[in-house]
Amino acid sequence: MHFVTSTRDTGADSVPDFTPVLGWFDAAERDLPWRAPDVGAWAILVSEVMLQQTPVVRVEPVWRAWMERWPTAADLAAATGADAVRAWGKLGYPRRAMRLHACAQALVERFDGAVPADVDELLSLPGVGDYTARAVACFAFGQDVPVVDINVRRVLARAADGDSDAAAPSAKRDLAAATAALETVPADRRTRLSAGLMELGALVCTARSPRCGECPIHADCAWLAAGAPAGTVAPRKVQKYEGTDRQARGRLLDVLRGADGAVPRAALDLAWERDPAQRDRALDSLLVDGLIEQTGDGRFALAGEG
């Protein structure tokens, strides 16, 4: 095995050489539209927000539609929050649409519509957390900053620590582990490696049924060297959707997305008849989240359309 000793406090004595991931990624990289060389920082920021807790197959058509309609932050900022929620469609977690709209407005007001390259400035934007800020800095601007999502955490946990499962997130530990991995390749290849580690975790080093024979670093993987011990973390339960408050919220939003302006309460009542108390709870949460508003005469509409 060929290991590169790490002097960082990553929780492991050493990290494998991740150079082979670069060659694997060159051959295995998915042809995703936000990875095209002519895609700008705004489009990458939108993709990263959409991809939060949402699979690529669902994001791609919505992302394409958004980029056609709002190719710049200024374009989205000139629209309404209701426009953003309506265009978000069935992507899920629609508060992200409102945050993107607020982010676009902040970019126009504070950065002349341009997406900043600095991580701290990115973090100052509405709806942009640590992962998204680092992903944009890395993938849009080529900055040598560690980017850690659940896929990267799993790859590093197995390859460097010999653990089947990634431990609970820890910004200090996770960023140190990712930095140590990036330092095994030349500086001008680290952005590429960050993307490759994500792809490896998404396609090969998966949570269930990893395809270790296809992994470019399987010979240096500490987990395989230890005999691929079973995980100690209980599998995440698949969140049900049928009958949940989330489904009720979605049904109510569907009515308002399809309406031209405000609708009476009766129209919403018909959208979710199975549990009136749950419907009331869902309606209240949509109001609290700022996704919808109530008019003076008691009707309801998407935010900004009342």
Side-chain angles (χ1 to χ4, degrees), residues 16-304:
D17 181 1
F18 284 94
T19 303
V21 174
L22 295 170
W24 171 85
F25 189 43
D26 286 342
E29 180 181 10
R30 288 173 291 182
D31 183 19
L32 303 178
W34 44 84
R35 288 178 175 169
D38 60 342
V39 168
W42 166 245
I44 290 173
L45 191 158
V46 172
S47 75
E48 290 295 345
V49 173
M50 287 185 171
L51 287 164
Q52 295 167 8
Q53 298 179 278
T54 310
V56 166
V57 67
R58 291 181 58 201
V59 167
E60 185 170 345
V62 179
W63 180 88
R64 289 184 184 277
W66 271 56
M67 288 301 98
E68 182 175 349
R69 184 173 181 180
W70 299 308
T72 70
D75 293 320
L76 179 58
T80 67
D83 291 332
V85 172
R86 187 170 280 112
W88 195 259
K90 297 287 192 177
L91 204 54
Y93 304 101
R95 277 177 291 181
R96 291 180 293 169
M98 296 292 289
R99 290 171 185 157
L100 263 176
H101 183 254
C103 179
Q105 291 179 320
L107 288 172
V108 170
E109 293 168 1
R110 293 164 43 202
F111 299 101
D112 294 324
V115 177
D118 180 75
V119 170
D120 288 335
E121 289 184 334
L122 285 162
L123 283 169
S124 74
L125 296 170
V128 175
D130 189 65
Y131 165 78
T132 302
R134 289 176 174 278
V136 172
C138 179
F139 303 136
F141 297 103
Q143 292 191 25
D144 180 10
V145 294
V147 184
V148 183
D149 69 352
I150 183 58
N151 291 315
V152 173
R153 289 176 55 237
R154 184 170 55 254
V155 169
L156 297 180
R158 289 173 177 170
D161 296 335
D163 297 328
S164 175
D165 313 300
S170 163
K172 180 179 179 181
R173 184 198 64 235
D174 294 342
L175 293 178
T179 298
L182 294 178
E183 289 177 346
T184 68
V185 305
D188 63 353
R189 301 289 284 158
R190 290 172 186 168
T191 296
R192 184 71 176 163
L193 179 58
S194 289
L197 290 172
M198 287 187 184
E199 197 84 328
L200 186 64
L203 301 182
V204 175
C205 192
T206 55
R208 300 182 179 90
S209 306
R211 302 198 301 273
C212 299
E214 301 175 27
C215 180
I217 55 170
H218 72 275
D220 284 349
C221 176
W223 181 57
L224 288 180
T232 57
V233 178
R236 292 178 62 186
K237 292 182 179 179
V238 178
Q239 225 177 12
K240 68 174 185 175
Y241 182 69
E242 180 65 29
T244 62
D245 285 5
R246 279 184 60 212
Q247 187 182 29
R249 281 166 55 100
R251 292 281 180 84
L252 299 182
L253 273 179
D254 284 345
V255 173
L256 298 176
R257 286 194 191 101
D260 184 15
V263 303
R265 172 63 188 261
L268 298 177
D269 289 345
L270 290 174
W272 191 261
E273 297 181 289
R274 67 171 71 180
D275 186 340
Q278 184 181 42
R279 181 183 62 229
D280 292 346
R281 187 166 63 244
L283 184 60
D284 287 344
S285 70
L286 291 171
L287 288 165
V288 169
D289 288 344
L291 287 163
I292 69 173
E293 61 188 29
Q294 189 170 16
T295 65
D297 61 2
R299 294 178 298 158
F300 295 86
L302 292 178

